[in-house]
Amino acid sequence: MVAMNSYAFDTSLKSRILTNLQTFELLDVDSSQLRSAAVAIVVTPHPDTQEAAFLITLRSSKLKRHSGQYALPGGRLDEGETLKDAALRETREELGLDLTKSDVLGRLDDMPTRSGFAITPFVLWRPPGHTLRPDPSEVETVFHVPLSELDSAEIPQLEREDGVEALVMSAPLATLGHQVYAPTAAMLYQFREVGLHGRGTRVSHYEQPRFAWS
């Protein structure tokens, strides 16, 4: 993995991400046949180094769907709920972080999934003073992954899978010691491209591995 400079968790980074997301032209997908869901990419200081990182969870092995997988905090919408509200609620329920709409820096493209969802990723800024209190019924572990890991030249990785026409996309993350696969990897890659570097990169065409289809 290529070593990259770290990102300082400061107002300059916050302003940069905010500006890049505000000027990004979102791509709408046909979600009429899909269920709506939202996830949060929470930008936070790393507890050991204080450099900027994002939060990713290892889902509890007791969950009925996608157990034991790496995921961003999120889930489907409750009745009458907006996508932004759902991202904030899921962040509160899964991680114990009571963030508000003022902490939302923006959003990325909807990501259609093989499991029948249109996932909308929101980027959240975690101010100082918010303590992580993960829900053990949903979250086995919370990882702080330095934003610099997203700058690896090894991201994205594309590979063939038997019986799947398009290339399956993944992202190796050193903090986890594992690959993260699309759709999560695709959303993180677009966050890198758009939020950190201001590039108009699209990701909805990347395929997901078969274990994520149900």
Side-chain angles (χ1 to χ4, degrees), residues 56-116:
I56 191 168
T57 71
L58 180 63
R59 289 169 58 84
S60 170
S61 59
K62 299 176 183 178
L63 293 171
K64 293 181 180 179
R65 293 175 59 86
H66 305 297
S67 62
Q69 294 182 19
Y70 293 103
L72 298 167
R76 67 184 70 186
L77 274 64
D78 286 346
E79 186 174 354
E81 193 174 41
T82 67
L83 288 163
K84 185 182 294 184
D85 287 339
L88 290 167
R89 174 183 53 78
E90 290 285 353
T91 300
R92 183 175 61 254
E93 291 177 355
E94 292 186 28
L95 301 180
L97 294 177
D98 194 15
L99 304 181
T100 68
K101 291 181 180 180
S102 65
D103 300 316
V104 179
L105 300 184
R107 53 158 289 200
L108 298 163
D109 287 339
D110 292 339
M111 183 72 188
T113 74
R114 285 285 195 166
S115 56

Side-chain angles (χ1 to χ4, degrees), residues 60-203:
S60 170
S61 59
K62 299 176 183 178
L63 293 171
K64 293 181 180 179
R65 293 175 59 86
H66 305 297
S67 62
Q69 294 182 19
Y70 293 103
L72 298 167
R76 67 184 70 186
L77 274 64
D78 286 346
E79 186 174 354
E81 193 174 41
T82 67
L83 288 163
K84 185 182 294 184
D85 287 339
L88 290 167
R89 174 183 53 78
E90 290 285 353
T91 300
R92 183 175 61 254
E93 291 177 355
E94 292 186 28
L95 301 180
L97 294 177
D98 194 15
L99 304 181
T100 68
K101 291 181 180 180
S102 65
D103 300 316
V104 179
L105 300 184
R107 53 158 289 200
L108 298 163
D109 287 339
D110 292 339
M111 183 72 188
T113 74
R114 285 285 195 166
S115 56
F117 287 92
I119 301 177
T120 302
F122 287 87
V123 180
L124 278 55
W125 187 265
R126 177 193 176 192
H130 290 263
T131 303
L132 276 174
R133 298 182 301 276
D135 180 355
S137 68
E138 295 192 60
V139 176
E140 187 168 311
T141 311
V142 181
F143 297 90
H144 294 72
V145 180
L147 295 188
S148 56
E149 288 189 20
L150 292 178
D151 276 334
S152 168
E154 296 182 11
I155 298 175
Q157 289 195 356
L158 303 173
E159 57 189 70
R160 294 285 181 188
E161 187 170 294
D162 290 343
V164 179
E165 182 176 349
L167 292 171
V168 174
M169 186 265 193
S170 66
L173 296 174
T175 295
L176 308 183
H178 288 281
Q179 304 274 114
V180 175
Y181 287 87
T184 298
M187 293 184 284
L188 289 172
Y189 174 52
Q190 190 177 51
F191 168 62
R192 178 189 91 175
E193 294 290 284
V194 176
L196 299 183
H197 299 296
R199 303 169 185 144
T201 302
R202 305 297 181 183
V203 297

Side-chain angles (χ1 to χ4, degrees), residues 199-210:
R199 303 169 185 144
T201 302
R202 305 297 181 183
V203 297
S204 62
H205 59 286
Y206 287 123
E207 184 57 275
Q208 299 139 47
R210 284 190 176 276

